């Protein structure tokens, strides 16, 4: 198996379980060194799982480590899987791994563990998963080293939304508890006499609206006055100079026309005789 292409662009490290046991773990426990080994040795229990991706030599969604088996003193041979902020807890029984070419030949065991934040029996389950690979008990190879694969379990959208809501609620409670209590004097409003005399500031759009209304009212008033002046008639005024004219002198006529010289000539006996006939005509 060649690993000189590990650093080439596009290379992805996804070994099978048989390759992890028969090639990588066997070389380490046998003391053989590879020219390029993509898996480093690290005691992962000194770190929380979210710190491990930055400590791995290679990996995008899954990270691999050779882990020395650390056993508790007087714990019946059980390894110590406690970290600073939580612990790894095994789930179910170990699964047997067989050779693909010979399904009857057992080559190793796989233990699945889940990380819990907090202390034992009161921890909160997370989505960090670990597969621990080791040789079977009847194998002549050393059992002091195991190979661990760390990855995060695929989480559904509903669980992510619930988790985000819980984190937001916790943040609100933390903010409320961290804020100092309000002083009783903060609820009292103090206002000086000078502040009371300051007029309230009218928004710019309100001032513009008032100016437009006033301009429209002035224009409407001017138009009404112009129409009223157009249809209003001014009475004829007699010049005052005519009052100063002298009164026209008209000669008085004597109503007795028989005294006039002209009419006296015409007043003849013949005319007096003819007058009754003319009047009757």
């Amino acid at each position: 198996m060649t690993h000189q292409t590990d650093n080439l662009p596009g290379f992805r490290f996804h070994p099978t379980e048989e390759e992890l046991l028969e090639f990588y773990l066997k070389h380490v426990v046998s003391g053989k060194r590879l020219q390029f080994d993509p898996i480093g040795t690290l005691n992962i229990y000194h770190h929380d799982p979210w710190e491990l991706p930055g400590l791995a030599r290679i990996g995008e969604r899954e990270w691999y480590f050779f882990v020395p088996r650390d056993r508790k003193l007087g714990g019946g041979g059980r390894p110590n899987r406690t970290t600073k902020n939580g612990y790894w807890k095994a789930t179910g029984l170990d699964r047997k791994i067989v050779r693909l070419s010979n399904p009857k030949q057992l080559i190793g065991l796989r233990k699945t563990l889940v990380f819990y934040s907090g202390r034992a029996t009161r921890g909160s389950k997370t989505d960090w998963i670990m597969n621990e690979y080791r040789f079977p008990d009847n194998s002549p190879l050393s059992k002091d080293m195991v190979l661990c694969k760390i990855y995060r379990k695929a989480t559904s959208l509903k669980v992510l939304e619930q988790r985000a809501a819980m984190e937001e609620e916790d943040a609100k409670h933390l903010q409320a508890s961290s804020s100092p209590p309000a002083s009783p004097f903060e609820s009292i409003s103090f206002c000086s006499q000078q502040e009371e005399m300051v007029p309230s500031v009218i928004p710019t759009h309100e001032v513009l609206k008032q100016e437009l209304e006033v301009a429209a009212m002035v224009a409407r008033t001017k138009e009404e006055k112009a129409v009223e002046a157009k249809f209003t008639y001014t009475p004829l005024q007699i010049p005052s100079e005519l009052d100063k004219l002298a009164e026209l002198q008209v000669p008085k006529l004597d109503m007795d026309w028989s005294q006039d010289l002209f009419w006296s000539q015409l007043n003849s006996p013949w005319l007096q005789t003819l007058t009754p006939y003319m009047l009757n005509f």
Side-chain angles (χ1 to χ4, degrees):
M1 182 178 294
T2 304
H3 298 282
Q4 299 299 328
T5 59
D6 291 351
N7 291 328
L8 296 178
F11 173 75
R12 300 292 181 268
F13 186 65
H14 297 297
T16 64
E17 293 181 327
E18 183 175 352
E19 291 173 341
L20 290 175
L21 288 165
E22 289 289 292
F23 183 85
Y24 290 101
L25 185 57
K26 182 178 289 188
H27 273 75
V28 170
V29 298
S30 300
K32 299 179 181 180
R33 302 284 300 180
L34 297 175
Q35 184 177 359
F36 175 78
D37 197 344
I39 303 177
T41 302
L42 179 69
N43 190 341
I44 62 174
Y45 303 112
H46 292 170
H47 306 274
D48 292 316
W50 47 84
E51 300 174 355
L52 298 178
L55 301 174
R57 292 183 180 179
I58 197 170
E60 295 179 348
R61 297 183 180 179
E62 49 191 34
W63 304 272
Y64 298 86
F65 301 93
F66 292 118
V67 182
R69 300 189 72 177
D70 183 19
R71 300 181 181 275
K72 290 183 178 180
L73 295 178
R78 295 177 56 190
N80 183 8
R81 297 191 177 99
T82 303
T83 67
K84 180 173 59 176
N85 294 309
Y87 58 96
W88 291 94
K89 181 179 178 181
T91 60
L93 301 176
D94 295 349
R95 178 181 176 183
K96 296 179 180 181
I97 301 175
V98 297
R99 194 182 302 275
L100 294 179
S101 59
N102 185 9
K104 295 182 179 181
Q105 184 180 0
L106 179 66
I107 61 175
L109 299 171
R110 185 188 73 189
K111 183 186 295 292
T112 302
L113 302 98
V114 178
F115 184 78
Y116 286 75
S117 60
R119 295 299 102 189
T121 68
R122 292 177 299 180
S124 300
K125 186 177 180 181
T126 68
D127 54 359
W128 287 95
I129 309 297
M130 176 171 61
N131 291 339
E132 181 187 271
Y133 297 95
R134 72 180 190 273
F135 293 116
D137 296 336
N138 58 356
S139 174
L141 298 173
S142 174
K143 316 295 188 302
D144 293 335
M145 186 74 70
V146 295
L147 195 157
C148 296
K149 180 176 75 172
I150 311 295
Y151 62 97
R152 299 190 69 174
K153 182 181 179 181
T155 308
S156 63
L157 180 60
K158 182 178 180 180
V159 175
L160 292 176
E161 291 177 350
Q162 293 176 353
R163 185 181 303 168
M166 292 177 61
E167 292 178 355
E168 184 179 358
E169 191 69 21
D170 294 340
K172 290 181 179 179
H173 287 309
L174 180 61
Q175 183 179 4
S177 61
S178 61
S179 59
S183 174
F185 294 99
E186 294 181 358
S187 59
I188 303 176
S189 175
F190 296 95
C191 182
S192 61
Q193 184 176 2
Q194 184 178 0
E195 292 177 352
E196 293 179 355
M197 296 176 61
V198 177
S200 59
V201 179
I202 303 177
T204 306
H205 64 278
E206 293 292 341
V207 175
L208 180 60
K209 182 179 179 181
Q210 294 178 3
E211 291 180 355
L212 292 175
E213 292 178 355
V214 172
M217 186 181 299
V218 172
R220 186 165 57 252
T221 304
K222 290 183 178 180
E223 184 179 356
E224 292 177 355
K225 288 184 177 181
V227 173
E228 183 179 355
K230 182 177 180 181
F231 292 97
T232 302
Y233 296 95
T234 306
L236 182 62
Q237 300 291 335
I238 300 177
S240 59
E241 290 78 4
L242 296 180
D243 297 338
K244 300 179 181 180
L245 293 178
E247 184 180 357
L248 182 62
Q249 299 294 328
V250 180
K252 297 182 179 181
L253 295 177
D254 191 359
M255 298 305 295
D256 189 4
W257 55 272
S258 61
Q259 299 298 326
D260 189 89
L261 180 60
F262 176 76
W263 291 104
S264 62
Q265 293 177 2
L266 294 177
N267 189 13
S268 60
W270 177 81
L271 182 59
Q272 293 177 358
T273 307
L274 187 60
T275 298
Y277 295 99
M278 295 176 62
L279 295 174
N280 293 330
F281 180 78

